[in-house]
Amino acid sequence: MGTSILIIEDEEKLARFVELELSYEGYHIEKAFDGRTGLMKAESGKFDLILLDIMLPGLNGMEILRRLRRSSSVPVILLTAKDSITDKVSGLDSGADDYITKPFAIEELLARIRTSLRKKAADGEKPLSASGVQLDPERRTVTANGTPVELTKREFDLLCYLLRNKGVVITREELLEKVWGFDYEGETNAVDVYIRFLRGKIDEAFGIKLIQTVRGVGYVVRDE
Ligand code: CA
């Protein structure tokens, strides 16, 4: 498995040129020419890095970045059309790792890609915590009041998503989409079932109030 890069760019000529150059360097490339397709692909979690144009049809780059950052820390390099300070500042505020101004030299893009991938490899993903519960996304470990907790993959992914969005009420639909995937075809009460599993293993086992129900809306994790 090589390094996969997603290019979200509506200037198809530019996207194809970048694809050609990056493929030549050994990267595996996929392209999206509009915002919605781009976000869907980006959220699939199968890319190591994303090149993101800002002005896009459907959904602009800033919105894609904002939504993507709720569930992913994949490195994102913004492709800014103009030398706009506002774009750069709000882009970096929204969680972009870097930006490059069009038109750019392919050597500069390659250098920035290498830097972002290196940084990501060195950082890893930081542990998440709430109410005495700690989750390490890299090692895939969970502790409650310092004691290790055994979770299944699905329970882990569900808890991880809730912790990443600490303080934000998440609907069942969003959890199904983000944790089970777009193509999940099954009972919608799967979310409630897995929340019960998690509560049994954490809230009840350790006397912690971690996962709260917001009636008629969904679930939220808050620091108590
Ligand atoms: Ca564009």
Side-chain angles (χ1 to χ4, degrees):
M1 270 300 282
T3 304
S4 294
I5 297 180
L6 173 65
I7 306 169
I8 308 176
E9 167 63 80
D10 61 321
E11 289 167 55
E12 299 192 16
K13 262 190 176 162
L14 175 63
R16 294 214 167 86
F17 168 71
V18 172
E19 175 183 33
L20 211 67
E21 294 288 336
L22 296 186
S23 301
Y24 184 72
E25 294 293 319
Y27 295 112
H28 174 75
I29 306 297
E30 274 191 42
K31 305 186 295 298
F33 300 133
D34 69 87
R36 295 203 179 274
T37 314
L39 178 63
M40 216 172 74
K41 282 179 182 261
E43 284 182 328
S44 71
K46 65 178 188 178
F47 296 99
D48 301 294
L49 184 138
I50 294 170
L51 299 176
L52 178 61
D53 183 28
I54 293 178
M55 296 294 284
L56 287 164
L59 205 61
N60 75 45
M62 292 303 182
E63 186 59 22
I64 292 176
L65 186 57
R66 200 181 63 74
R67 294 200 199 177
L68 184 64
R69 280 291 174 255
R70 290 161 70 174
S71 61
S72 165
S73 61
V74 61
V76 173
I77 299 178
L78 291 175
L79 309 175
T80 64
K82 50 197 181 304
D83 200 0
S84 155
I85 297 291
T86 329
D87 278 356
K88 285 175 196 165
V89 171
S90 58
L92 295 175
D93 279 352
S94 314
D97 296 81
D98 203 354
Y99 57 83
I100 188 164
T101 306
K102 292 190 265 186
F104 46 79
I106 202 73
E107 290 75 19
E108 187 182 355
L109 180 63
L110 285 168
R112 283 167 187 256
I113 288 173
R114 281 193 295 268
T115 305
S116 284
L117 290 172
R118 247 199 326 269
K119 242 192 284 177
K120 169 71 183 165
D123 280 2
E125 206 182 338
K126 291 177 184 60
L128 305 162
S129 67
S131 303
V133 174
Q134 269 237 341
L135 180 148
D136 186 332
E138 290 283 299
R139 296 197 188 116
R140 294 190 70 88
T141 55
V142 176
T143 60
N145 296 338
T147 307
V149 181
E150 290 280 336
L151 297 182
T152 65
K153 182 185 180 299
R154 188 79 79 195
E155 290 164 354
F156 182 91
D157 291 344
L158 178 59
L159 181 60
C160 191
Y161 192 79
L162 287 167
L163 282 170
R164 276 195 188 122
N165 293 282
K166 187 161 73 175
V168 180
V169 180
I170 310 290
T171 64
R172 288 176 179 77
E173 290 72 27
E174 181 173 344
L175 288 170
L176 263 187
E177 184 186 310
K178 296 294 160 58
V179 179
W180 275 258
F182 281 107
D183 50 0
Y184 176 75
E185 284 175 34
E187 297 296 316
T188 47
N189 68 10
V191 173
D192 305 292
V193 171
Y194 276 84
I195 292 282
R196 269 205 300 280
F197 291 162
L198 278 177
R199 280 181 171 150
K201 288 183 177 179
I202 297 174
D203 297 57
E204 288 157 28
F206 292 90
I208 294 171
K209 195 154 171 46
L210 179 68
I211 304 170
Q212 302 177 16
T213 306
V214 180
R215 211 169 280 282
V217 186
Y219 296 100
V220 61
V221 158
R222 290 200 179 93
D223 260 322
E224 285 296 294

